[in-house]
Amino acid sequence: MKTKPSILVVNDDGITATGIKALIEVMSEIGNVTVVAPDGPQSGMGHAIAIGKPLRFDKVNLYPPIEMYKCSGTPVDCVKLAVNKVFKGKKPDLCVSGINHGLNNSINVIYSGTMSAAVEGAIEKIPSIGFSMDDFAQDADFSHCKKYIKQITEQVLANGLPEGTLLNVNFPKGDQIKGIKICRQANAKWAEDFDERQDPYRRPYYWLTGVFENYDKGEDTDVWALDHGYASVVPVQFDLTAHHAIQILNTWDFTGDVDQPKKTAGADGANLG
């Protein structure tokens, strides 16, 4: 009898989020599920880890018989603790993160706690996938994503992923998904602004706001796919080396003297500068 794969489920919206419940339900059809998730929302944390403060790590009985733990740290802390304390070095067969309430397409992948948890899984050489959907509502309906999540997960388990690579999967809002598109990350960014307000003591504070601007007109991007009703699947790597720039930098001259700032004599004759 074939052994079911062991699957680590994490997220950044917190252990009680609707999205992680939906992901647990799908993964329970595929393998043996262990959940380690933040005890509260950790959106936008990127690849942050807790340094200089203790982490709380407690078993919970939220969706029995699923083995679940809540963690006071970041999504990346959850993966690290899972590998070291729950699996005790015997790594799971798969790490899945999400389902995030809100998209993590294009440049959002940099800021995303959801994707950073999946990246940490990949760093640990665990096949990893991040799932997100275009709905920020706490009671968002993720049911239309489930069959695609199952298909993608089963393909990763059957075929593996290239070393150092993970998948960033995003779903459009609504129940009319046309299918899956393998994409590249769009060249887009947030044009940010800060809304200045005053507290009751007339001290200023700021809310981050902004508009998402897409500079990429290609029809092979995650933004295009989502805008046209498809689920986007982008292979992501954590090697941030700009390999195309190495040849250019090798033409620079690092052998010459670097201009040093001129030193100025002080009143006592000491050199300043």
Side-chain angles (χ1 to χ4, degrees):
M1 183 176 177
K2 187 176 180 180
T3 304
K4 283 188 173 183
S6 58
I7 302 174
L8 170 62
V9 177
V10 296
N11 79 342
D12 75 349
D13 289 312
I15 199 164
T16 61
T18 306
I20 198 170
K21 181 177 184 292
L23 190 56
I24 291 168
E25 291 169 352
V26 178
M27 293 303 123
S28 295
E29 298 176 11
I30 299 172
N32 298 314
V33 174
T34 302
V35 179
V36 181
D39 57 11
Q42 292 280 337
S43 297
M45 292 300 292
H47 214 89
I49 56 175
I51 296 177
K53 64 178 182 179
L55 291 173
R56 302 293 180 184
F57 185 63
D58 300 300
K59 197 166 188 177
V60 295
N61 194 32
L62 195 57
Y63 305 123
I66 302 296
E67 184 179 3
M68 300 184 71
Y69 302 85
K70 65 178 181 179
C71 171
S72 63
T74 68
V76 173
D77 288 327
C78 291
V79 176
K80 289 181 178 292
L81 277 167
V83 170
N84 285 275
K85 296 300 181 184
V86 180
F87 291 93
K88 300 185 186 303
K90 186 179 180 181
K91 297 174 183 177
D93 298 303
L94 183 73
C95 174
V96 292
S97 184
I99 305 166
N100 189 66
H101 292 243
L103 291 176
N104 281 312
N105 61 329
S106 185
I107 197 65
N108 296 307
V109 70
I110 299 294
Y111 309 109
S112 166
T114 299
M115 283 306 298
S116 289
V119 168
E120 186 64 25
I123 290 171
E124 291 285 348
K125 301 188 184 301
I126 305 166
S128 299
I129 316 168
F131 294 103
S132 306
M133 192 186 79
D134 188 13
D135 194 337
F136 286 98
Q138 289 186 352
D139 60 348
D141 181 7
F142 295 93
S143 59
H144 62 287
C145 302
K146 287 184 173 181
K147 72 173 183 179
Y148 297 104
I149 290 173
K150 188 173 183 181
Q151 288 174 359
I152 293 166
T153 299
E154 289 177 337
Q155 285 297 304
V156 168
L157 286 169
N159 299 297
L161 289 170
E163 186 172 347
T165 304
L166 62 147
L167 298 184
N168 181 19
V169 180
N170 285 272
F171 296 99
K173 188 175 182 178
D175 59 1
Q176 300 298 317
I177 298 177
K178 296 179 181 178
I180 294 171
K181 290 280 188 184
I182 308 301
C183 308
R184 63 178 174 85
Q185 178 180 317
N187 176 21
K189 68 179 288 292
W190 286 95
E192 292 159 339
D193 194 9
F194 288 88
D195 183 13
E196 182 175 333
R197 304 179 185 182
Q198 286 188 337
D199 67 16
Y201 299 98
R202 297 187 179 278
R203 295 175 301 194
Y205 66 94
Y206 302 88
W207 278 107
L208 176 63
T209 64
V211 178
F212 189 68
E213 296 184 345
N214 181 23
Y215 308 107
D216 199 322
K217 304 307 178 185
E219 297 184 1
D220 59 344
T221 71
D222 50 6
V223 171
W224 187 94
L226 291 160
D227 284 347
H228 290 79
Y230 293 94
S232 65
V233 178
V234 177
V236 177
Q237 63 182 16
F238 51 81
D239 176 3
L240 300 182
T241 305
H243 293 277
H244 63 283
I246 290 176
Q247 186 175 356
I248 296 172
L249 268 62
N250 277 329
T251 67
W252 293 9
D253 182 8
F254 293 104
T255 62
D257 292 334
V258 178
D259 291 338
Q260 297 293 331
K262 294 182 179 179
K263 296 185 180 295
T264 304
D268 60 355
N271 287 328
L272 306 178

